[in-house]
Coordinates of all heavy atoms in Angstrom, one line a residue:
V285 N 232.2 -234.0 -124.6 CA 231.9 -233.4 -126.0 C 230.5 -233.0 -126.3 O 230.1 -231.9 -126.7 CB 232.5 -234.3 -127.2 CG1 232.2 -233.6 -128.6 CG2 234.1 -234.3 -127.0
W298 N 220.4 -218.6 -127.6 CA 220.0 -217.5 -126.7 C 220.5 -216.1 -127.3 O 219.8 -215.2 -127.2 CB 220.9 -217.6 -125.4 CG 220.6 -216.6 -124.4 CD1 219.7 -216.3 -123.6 CD2 221.6 -215.5 -124.1 NE1 219.9 -215.1 -122.8 CE2 221.0 -214.6 -123.2 CE3 222.9 -215.1 -124.7 CZ2 221.7 -213.4 -122.8 CZ3 223.6 -213.9 -124.2 CH2 222.9 -213.2 -123.3
V327 N 220.8 -199.1 -146.1 CA 221.2 -198.5 -144.9 C 220.5 -197.1 -144.6 O 220.4 -196.4 -145.5 CB 222.8 -198.4 -144.7 CG1 223.1 -197.5 -143.6 CG2 223.4 -199.6 -144.9
I371 N 217.9 -188.5 -149.7 CA 218.7 -189.7 -150.3 C 220.0 -189.2 -150.7 O 220.1 -188.2 -151.5 CB 217.9 -190.2 -151.6 CG1 216.5 -190.6 -151.3 CG2 218.6 -191.3 -152.2 CD1 215.7 -191.1 -152.4
E398 N 197.3 -188.5 -136.6 CA 196.0 -189.3 -136.8 C 195.9 -189.7 -138.2 O 196.1 -188.9 -139.1 CB 194.6 -188.3 -136.5 CG 193.5 -189.2 -136.6 CD 192.3 -188.2 -136.3 OE1 192.4 -187.1 -135.9 OE2 191.1 -188.6 -136.4
Q409 N 215.1 -183.0 -151.4 CA 215.9 -183.6 -152.5 C 217.4 -183.5 -152.0 O 217.9 -182.5 -151.5 CB 215.8 -182.9 -153.8 CG 214.4 -183.3 -154.5 CD 214.4 -182.8 -155.8 OE1 214.8 -181.5 -156.1 NE2 213.6 -183.2 -156.7
T411 N 221.5 -183.3 -152.9 CA 222.3 -182.4 -153.7 C 222.4 -183.0 -155.2 O 222.3 -182.2 -156.1 CB 223.6 -182.1 -153.2 OG1 223.6 -181.6 -151.9 CG2 224.4 -181.2 -154.1
E421 N 217.9 -177.8 -167.6 CA 217.9 -176.4 -167.7 C 219.2 -175.8 -167.9 O 219.4 -174.8 -168.7 CB 217.2 -175.7 -166.4 CG 217.0 -174.3 -166.5 CD 216.4 -173.8 -165.2 OE1 216.0 -174.6 -164.2 OE2 216.2 -172.5 -165.0
L437 N 230.9 -164.0 -182.8 CA 232.1 -164.4 -183.5 C 231.9 -164.7 -184.8 O 232.6 -165.4 -185.5 CB 232.8 -165.5 -182.7 CG 233.2 -165.3 -181.3 CD1 234.0 -166.5 -180.8 CD2 234.1 -164.1 -181.2
A446 N 239.3 -157.3 -185.7 CA 240.6 -157.2 -186.3 C 241.1 -155.8 -186.6 O 242.1 -155.3 -186.4 CB 240.6 -158.0 -187.5
T455 N 247.8 -147.0 -182.8 CA 247.9 -145.9 -181.7 C 248.9 -146.2 -180.8 O 249.8 -145.2 -180.3 CB 246.6 -146.0 -181.0 OG1 245.5 -145.8 -181.9 CG2 246.5 -145.0 -179.9
T456 N 249.3 -147.4 -180.4 CA 250.4 -147.7 -179.5 C 251.7 -147.4 -180.2 O 252.7 -147.0 -179.4 CB 250.2 -149.1 -179.0 OG1 250.3 -150.0 -180.1 CG2 249.1 -149.4 -178.2
K547 N 232.3 -49.2 -135.5 CA 231.7 -49.6 -134.2 C 232.5 -50.5 -133.4 O 232.7 -50.5 -132.2 CB 230.2 -50.1 -134.3 CG 229.5 -50.3 -133.0 CD 228.1 -50.9 -133.3 CE 227.4 -51.2 -132.0 NZ 226.0 -51.6 -132.1
D552 N 230.0 -47.4 -129.9 CA 228.8 -46.7 -130.4 C 228.7 -45.4 -129.8 O 228.4 -45.2 -128.5 CB 227.5 -47.6 -130.1 CG 226.3 -47.0 -130.7 OD1 226.5 -46.1 -131.6 OD2 225.1 -47.7 -130.5
K555 N 224.5 -40.7 -129.4 CA 223.8 -40.4 -128.2 C 222.3 -40.7 -128.3 O 221.7 -40.3 -129.2 CB 224.0 -38.9 -127.6 CG 225.4 -38.7 -127.4 CD 225.6 -37.2 -126.9 CE 227.0 -36.8 -126.5 NZ 227.2 -35.4 -126.0
K560 N 214.2 -33.6 -121.5 CA 214.4 -32.5 -120.7 C 213.4 -32.4 -119.6 O 212.3 -32.7 -119.7 CB 214.3 -31.3 -121.5 CG 215.4 -31.2 -122.6 CD 215.3 -30.0 -123.4 CE 216.3 -29.8 -124.5 NZ 216.2 -28.5 -125.4

Side-chain angles (χ1 to χ4, degrees):
V285 172
W298 178 79
V327 172
I371 301 175
E398 184 178 357
Q409 287 185 327
T411 304
E421 183 179 358
L437 297 179
T455 302
T456 53
K547 185 177 180 180
D552 190 5
K555 293 183 178 180
K560 295 182 178 180

